[in-house]
Amino acid sequence: MATVRLIADEEASEAVRAVFDDIRTTRGSDFVNNFWRALACDPVQLASVWAEVKAVMVAPGTLDPLTREMLYIAVSVTNGCSYCIHSHTAAARAKGLTDAAHGEMLAVIGLAAKTNQLVNALQVPVDPEFQA
Amino acid sequence: MATVRLIADEEASEAVRAVFDDIRTTRGSDFVNNFWRALACDPVQLASVWAEVKAVMVAPGTLDPLTREMLYIAVSVTNGCSYCIHSHTAAARAKGLTDAAHGEMLAVIGLAAKTNQLVNALQVPVDPEFQA
Amino acid sequence: MATVRLIADEEASEAVRAVFDDIRTTRGSDFVNNFWRALACDPVQLASVWAEVKAVMVAPGTLDPLTREMLYIAVSVTNGCSYCIHSHTAAARAKGLTDAAHGEMLAVIGLAAKTNQLVNALQVPVDPEFQA
Amino acid sequence: MATVRLIADEEASEAVRAVFDDIRTTRGSDFVNNFWRALACDPVQLASVWAEVKAVMVAPGTLDPLTREMLYIAVSVTNGCSYCIHSHTAAARAKGLTDAAHGEMLAVIGLAAKTNQLVNALQVPVDPEFQA
Amino acid sequence: MATVRLIADEEASEAVRAVFDDIRTTRGSDFVNNFWRALACDPVQLASVWAEVKAVMVAPGTLDPLTREMLYIAVSVTNGCSYCIHSHTAAARAKGLTDAAHGEMLAVIGLAAKTNQLVNALQVPVDPEFQA
Amino acid sequence: MATVRLIADEEASEAVRAVFDDIRTTRGSDFVNNFWRALACDPVQLASVWAEVKAVMVAPGTLDPLTREMLYIAVSVTNGCSYCIHSHTAAARAKGLTDAAHGEMLAVIGLAAKTNQLVNALQVPVDPEFQA
């Protein structure tokens, strides 16, 4: 189904195995999902994308991990990326997303898309007040 | 610039004026931004969109108002809606978005778009583990 | 502003002039809008795109010209193409789009975008009933 | 497959059942499609989205129901929402979309996307003539 | 699964058969993929889209065929068109896309999407230097 | 106009100045465009995005620099990112993009968007032959 072969643990090169190991350690889980197994067809990209995910989604910061997951979902829903929606909704659930918060998030995501359309159709000029 | 005329206070019908008044009261500010003045060309839609914005963005809920604004921005950035990005970044700033949080939000939004592309290009199949 | 030079009537080659003339004749107007003047940097593409626009938007068919313009607008709004929204809203107005129809069109376009998001976020499986 | 559980009739709460009943009555059919069963995980959102769909897609207005369905499809195709394309193409067929009209609609949708790209690539400035 | 019936060779009209034959001759292969079998529900559109594909993707020009396939993939990935990504990645492979080039292409496509987001979020004004 | 302040040379911190200097050295030009001056509001992100751009767009590889620029443009056009289209069309021109190649690139980008729409509308199932 993928346009590249998914790399199983047994066939992982040393460089790939090192990233898989770090994913497992960082997440405290033995599960390495298909995104990483597909990316592993290019070990350099695998390492660099994982480093960025770790820095942006895992490292401590101002935004809590659940908020980051919700932002990720908002982008993925807008782009219609099915895999991303599945994987990050699961991640958000694991990080405490409740049914109520899920529903509110959907309401915002849906409203934003709708008003984006209205603004586009009306070609509303930016108010000077918004220009900092 | 807009594809419809922006309705000034002076020419607002009673129905439009009622919505403008509620926007002012709800926000505690005299400022009515151009989106509402453009939407006012269709008073029924004006009332219904404002009611939805109030329910989704203003009413108390599980997600705090700043998180909702950030989700709104994430969708608007992905859709490339310039007006929406300007108005909701201003709103988020007014609700306490710090420079640090702004930077982290951008990092997540950028990363999500990038990995959405990689997932699409690789056509990664959804792991059964994500299927709840 | 454009990434290519807009071709004025005086500098048009014979091939470009022939297309400009046909645009004028077809529309019964002397006005040649900037899209064609920008496309004229590639006379072959200019001729082929104009031929397609004539066949799809102007030639008699099942769908009336106003409906076609509204479909064009719906796509252009969703893609956020500012120029296209301006030019085709003007064209739709010229073909009889009323304020009421404009408002209803916007309501559908906005609702569709919102429910597209909800469907994406929920990853709703296609009902067998829809599979013809 | 969905990120939430689809609500069957048997497990529907009273609020959900009321919406399902209204869908059935409004459409004159016993069939409640998966979108509503997924949305039913959030009964408030279910009721509000259904109310909007009824007002925008079903209530009498200037645009006939088939035109509204085609606009819905144009947005859904541009957003690549597979479920929405399936469900609204089925709805359009049920409302009288012929093969000829379907073909013409596709031609407009495809042409609009293509010219949106050309306009974007060329960054064509809006003609003053289009500014009302 | 498709919203129209896929036309098998046996049921192809003369007009459809002529296009199928030209596809086979042009490609030097007996394989006619599903896109053309679905488009065949509208023989006029089938002929016109195939003519455009031949002119744009097959005819000799400045850009080599592999570069054209990669541009096609870049657009299709950004639009999230699963079928298009599958078919054109296969076509690119057949035209010599190596694993290394595939990886680099993905890196560019991913980076572009990410910086598009950052530019949108920051609403960066175009430098006068870029205006030719 | 931007949602953040553009950082001029005079006010650049040491970290920002180091990136600006590297941009100048790498490009052999004194010009630092607005994207970097806007990103400079977050020096960590500035450094990391520049490092990625250098690795993906500048470092030697299989794809020549002009091909990479064209892929970048294809994504940016599809996303409708005006700034990105301006800056990368200028970059492509500087790297040798001819008028003929520009025209062909636009033809591919436009055709891809059009066929993406047709495939979406028709919901064409992926041929088993494309599944490697």
Side-chain angles (χ1 to χ4, degrees):
Chain A
M1 221 79 144
T3 57
V4 294
R5 213 154 50 82
L6 303 181
I7 303 298
D9 286 352
E10 304 76 56
E11 52 186 337
S13 68
E14 210 170 325
V16 167
R17 185 178 302 266
V19 176
F20 284 8
D21 283 351
D22 193 40
I23 292 173
R24 289 182 163 114
T25 305
T26 304
R27 295 183 166 167
S29 153
D30 199 50
F31 177 50
V32 174
N33 55 303
N34 284 339
F35 176 54
W36 305 110
R37 298 190 180 283
L39 258 191
C41 63
D42 182 342
V44 173
Q45 198 159 56
L46 171 70
S48 116
V49 173
W50 169 243
E52 188 173 349
V53 166
K54 251 178 100 171
V56 172
M57 299 301 286
V58 180
T62 298
L63 300 178
D64 63 274
L66 179 52
T67 299
R68 300 186 213 177
E69 289 295 346
M70 289 192 294
L71 291 169
Y72 215 111
I73 292 170
V75 172
S76 302
V77 165
T78 308
N79 280 331
C81 180
S82 175
Y83 182 89
C84 315
I85 295 163
H86 275 295
S87 59
H88 286 274
T89 300
R93 293 275 187 202
K95 286 174 184 162
L97 183 73
T98 62
D99 287 351
H102 186 248
E104 291 182 20
M105 179 183 72
L106 260 63
V108 176
I109 290 175
L111 174 62
K114 173 174 150 178
T115 53
N116 285 182
Q117 298 280 82
L118 296 175
V119 162
N120 280 346
L122 298 167
Q123 291 287 300
V124 185
V126 178
D127 306 72
E129 286 83 352
F130 293 143
Q131 315 236 2
Chain B
M1 221 79 144
T3 58
V4 295
R5 212 155 50 81
L6 303 182
I7 304 299
D9 286 353
E10 298 75 43
E11 53 187 337
S13 67
E14 210 170 326
V16 167
R17 185 178 304 267
V19 176
F20 284 7
D21 284 351
D22 194 40
I23 291 173
R24 288 183 163 113
T25 306
T26 304
R27 293 181 169 169
S29 152
D30 199 50
F31 177 50
V32 174
N33 54 303
N34 284 340
F35 176 54
W36 305 110
R37 298 190 181 281
L39 258 190
C41 62
D42 182 343
V44 173
Q45 198 160 53
L46 172 70
S48 116
V49 173
W50 169 244
E52 188 173 347
V53 166
K54 251 178 100 171
V56 172
M57 299 301 286
V58 180
T62 298
L63 299 178
D64 62 274
L66 178 53
T67 298
R68 299 185 214 178
E69 290 294 347
M70 288 192 293
L71 291 169
Y72 215 111
I73 291 170
V75 172
S76 302
V77 165
T78 307
N79 280 331
C81 180
S82 174
Y83 182 88
C84 316
I85 294 163
H86 275 294
S87 60
H88 286 275
T89 300
R93 294 275 188 201
K95 286 175 185 161
L97 183 72
T98 61
D99 286 351
H102 187 248
E104 291 181 19
M105 179 183 72
L106 260 63
V108 176
I109 290 175
L111 175 62
K114 173 173 149 178
T115 52
N116 285 182
Q117 297 280 82
L118 296 175
V119 162
N120 280 346
L122 297 167
Q123 291 288 299
V124 185
V126 177
D127 307 73
E129 284 84 352
F130 293 143
Q131 316 239 3
Chain C
M1 221 78 147
T3 57
V4 295
R5 212 154 51 81
L6 302 181
I7 303 298
D9 286 352
E10 304 77 53
E11 53 185 338
S13 67
E14 211 170 325
V16 167
R17 185 178 302 267
V19 175
F20 283 7
D21 283 351
D22 194 40
I23 292 174
R24 288 182 163 114
T25 305
T26 304
R27 294 181 169 170
S29 153
D30 199 50
F31 176 50
V32 174
N33 55 304
N34 284 339
F35 175 55
W36 305 110
R37 297 190 182 282
L39 258 190
C41 62
D42 182 342
V44 173
Q45 198 160 54
L46 171 70
S48 117
V49 173
W50 168 244
E52 188 173 348
V53 166
K54 251 178 100 170
V56 172
M57 298 302 286
V58 180
T62 298
L63 300 178
D64 63 273
L66 179 52
T67 299
R68 299 186 214 178
E69 289 294 347
M70 288 192 293
L71 291 169
Y72 215 110
I73 292 170
V75 172
S76 302
V77 165
T78 308
N79 279 331
C81 181
S82 175
Y83 182 89
C84 315
I85 294 163
H86 275 295
S87 60
H88 286 275
T89 299
R93 293 275 188 202
K95 286 175 184 160
L97 183 72
T98 62
D99 286 351
H102 186 249
E104 291 181 19
M105 178 183 73
L106 260 62
V108 176
I109 291 175
L111 174 62
K114 173 174 147 178
T115 53
N116 286 182
Q117 298 280 83
L118 296 175
V119 163
N120 279 346
L122 297 168
Q123 291 288 301
V124 185
V126 177
D127 307 72
E129 285 83 351
F130 294 143
Q131 315 238 3
Chain D
M1 220 80 143
T3 58
V4 294
R5 212 155 49 83
L6 303 181
I7 304 298
D9 286 352
E10 304 76 52
E11 53 185 337
S13 68
E14 210 170 326
V16 167
R17 184 178 304 266
V19 175
F20 284 6
D21 284 350
D22 194 40
I23 292 173
R24 288 184 163 112
T25 305
T26 304
R27 295 182 168 167
S29 153
D30 200 49
F31 177 51
V32 174
N33 54 303
N34 284 340
F35 175 54
W36 305 111
R37 298 189 182 282
L39 259 190
C41 62
D42 181 342
V44 174
Q45 197 160 53
L46 172 69
S48 120
V49 173
W50 169 243
E52 189 173 349
V53 166
K54 250 177 101 171
V56 172
M57 300 301 287
V58 180
T62 299
L63 300 178
D64 63 90
L66 179 52
T67 299
R68 299 185 214 178
E69 289 295 346
M70 288 192 293
L71 291 169
Y72 215 111
I73 291 170
V75 172
S76 303
V77 165
T78 307
N79 279 331
C81 181
S82 176
Y83 182 89
C84 315
I85 294 163
H86 275 294
S87 59
H88 286 274
T89 300
R93 294 273 187 204
K95 286 174 185 163
L97 183 73
T98 61
D99 286 351
H102 186 248
E104 291 182 19
M105 179 183 72
L106 260 62
V108 176
I109 290 175
L111 175 62
K114 172 173 150 179
T115 53
N116 285 183
Q117 297 280 82
L118 296 174
V119 163
N120 280 347
L122 297 167
Q123 291 288 300
V124 185
V126 177
D127 306 72
E129 285 83 352
F130 294 143
Q131 314 237 3
Chain E
M1 221 79 145
T3 58
V4 295
R5 210 156 50 83
L6 303 182
I7 304 298
D9 287 352
E10 299 73 40
E11 53 185 337
S13 68
E14 210 169 325
V16 166
R17 183 178 304 267
V19 176
F20 283 7
D21 284 351
D22 194 39
I23 291 174
R24 288 183 163 114
T25 305
T26 304
R27 294 182 167 168
S29 153
D30 200 50
F31 177 50
V32 174
N33 54 303
N34 284 339
F35 176 54
W36 304 110
R37 298 190 181 282
L39 259 190
C41 61
D42 181 341
V44 173
Q45 198 160 55
L46 172 69
S48 117
V49 173
W50 168 244
E52 188 173 348
V53 166
K54 250 178 101 171
V56 172
M57 299 301 287
V58 180
T62 298
L63 299 179
D64 62 274
L66 178 53
T67 299
R68 299 185 213 179
E69 289 295 346
M70 289 192 293
L71 291 169
Y72 215 111
I73 291 170
V75 172
S76 303
V77 165
T78 308
N79 279 331
C81 180
S82 175
Y83 182 89
C84 315
I85 294 163
H86 274 294
S87 60
H88 285 274
T89 299
R93 293 276 187 201
K95 286 172 184 163
L97 182 72
T98 62
D99 286 351
H102 187 248
E104 291 181 19
M105 179 183 73
L106 260 62
V108 176
I109 291 175
L111 174 62
K114 172 173 150 178
T115 53
N116 285 183
Q117 298 280 82
L118 295 175
V119 162
N120 280 346
L122 297 167
Q123 291 287 299
V124 185
V126 177
D127 306 72
E129 285 83 351
F130 293 144
Q131 314 237 3
Chain F
M1 221 80 146
T3 57
V4 294
R5 212 155 50 83
L6 303 181
I7 303 298
D9 287 352
E10 299 73 42
E11 53 185 337
S13 67
E14 210 170 327
V16 167
R17 185 179 302 267
V19 175
F20 284 7
D21 284 351
D22 194 40
I23 292 174
R24 288 183 163 112
T25 305
T26 304
R27 293 181 168 170
S29 152
D30 200 50
F31 177 49
V32 174
N33 55 303
N34 284 339
F35 176 54
W36 304 110
R37 297 191 181 283
L39 258 191
C41 62
D42 182 341
V44 172
Q45 198 160 54
L46 171 70
S48 115
V49 174
W50 168 244
E52 187 173 349
V53 166
K54 251 178 100 171
V56 172
M57 299 301 286
V58 180
T62 299
L63 299 179
D64 63 273
L66 179 52
T67 299
R68 300 186 213 178
E69 289 294 347
M70 289 193 293
L71 291 169
Y72 215 111
I73 292 170
V75 172
S76 302
V77 165
T78 307
N79 279 331
C81 180
S82 176
Y83 182 89
C84 315
I85 294 164
H86 275 295
S87 59
H88 285 275
T89 300
R93 293 276 188 202
K95 286 175 183 161
L97 183 73
T98 62
D99 286 351
H102 186 248
E104 291 181 19
M105 178 183 73
L106 260 62
V108 176
I109 290 175
L111 174 62
K114 174 173 150 179
T115 52
N116 285 181
Q117 297 279 83
L118 296 175
V119 163
N120 280 347
L122 298 167
Q123 291 288 299
V124 185
V126 177
D127 307 73
E129 286 83 351
F130 293 143
Q131 315 237 2

